[in-house]
Amino acid sequence: MTPKLIKTAAAALLALAALSGCGSATTTAAGPTIGSTGPSGPVVLDESADRTHITVAPGTVVRTELHSTYWSPATSTDPGLLAPTGEPSTAAAPSCRPGSGCGTVTTAFTARTAGSVRLTAHRSSCGEAKPCPPGGQDFTVEVDITR
């Protein structure tokens, strides 16, 4: 990738994050990082973080908030590195029509020790009798835990 292309990609990610209300987007040597965090709050990932790469420190809480009740709860490929914190939760939106899947599926994890892990979730439907478009069935985020 040329430096100009990298700058263009970084600018596009920043614009996407600003439009989606997702927080901040930065580019690191490891690739794009999308998420939002407060001074002592968790890193929160939604669909806009799909297929990205984040870097966190041990002790950091990483939370996925996927905006459809058709999503499975996110899972960690190595719970020893990125451990589930409590049970996943599903919250339907109060004005949701039956079968539309409005709501969120939230799962929290705690980064335990240095290493690389992947968060994944899946859905086979994007609405009642509505198949997901190509690339819309899986959610994946690479997580590097560094000291």
Side-chain angles (χ1 to χ4, degrees), residues 110-138:
T110 300
R112 297 219 173 189
T113 187
S116 295
V117 65
R118 180 180 295 142
L119 287 175
T120 61
H122 179 78
R123 62 183 173 177
S124 53
S125 176
C126 286
E128 187 175 346
K130 180 181 175 189
C132 294
Q137 291 184 327
D138 295 302

Side-chain angles (χ1 to χ4, degrees), residues 1 3 5 19 21 30 34 48 54 57 80-81 84 89 109 122-123 135-136:
M1 239 182 193
L5 185 56
L19 289 173
I34 298 178
S48 65
I54 67 168
L81 295 177
S89 64
F109 303 86
H122 179 78
R123 62 183 173 177

Side-chain angles (χ1 to χ4, degrees), residues 10 13-14 17 22-37 43-45 48-49 51-56 141-142 144:
L13 285 171
L14 287 169
C22 172
S24 62
T26 59
T27 300
T28 66
T33 301
I34 298 178
S36 63
T37 184
V43 173
V44 181
L45 305 171
S48 65
R51 297 184 198 110
T52 63
H53 189 145
I54 67 168
T55 301
V56 298
V141 175
E142 300 291 331
D144 283 334

Side-chain angles (χ1 to χ4, degrees), residues 69-135:
T69 57
Y70 288 109
W71 284 109
S72 67
T75 58
S76 167
T77 56
D78 189 340
L81 295 177
L82 191 62
T85 305
E87 293 295 317
S89 64
T90 301
S95 60
C96 188
R97 291 186 332 249
S100 60
C102 334
T104 57
V105 176
T106 303
T107 312
F109 303 86
T110 300
R112 297 219 173 189
T113 187
S116 295
V117 65
R118 180 180 295 142
L119 287 175
T120 61
H122 179 78
R123 62 183 173 177
S124 53
S125 176
C126 286
E128 187 175 346
K130 180 181 175 189
C132 294

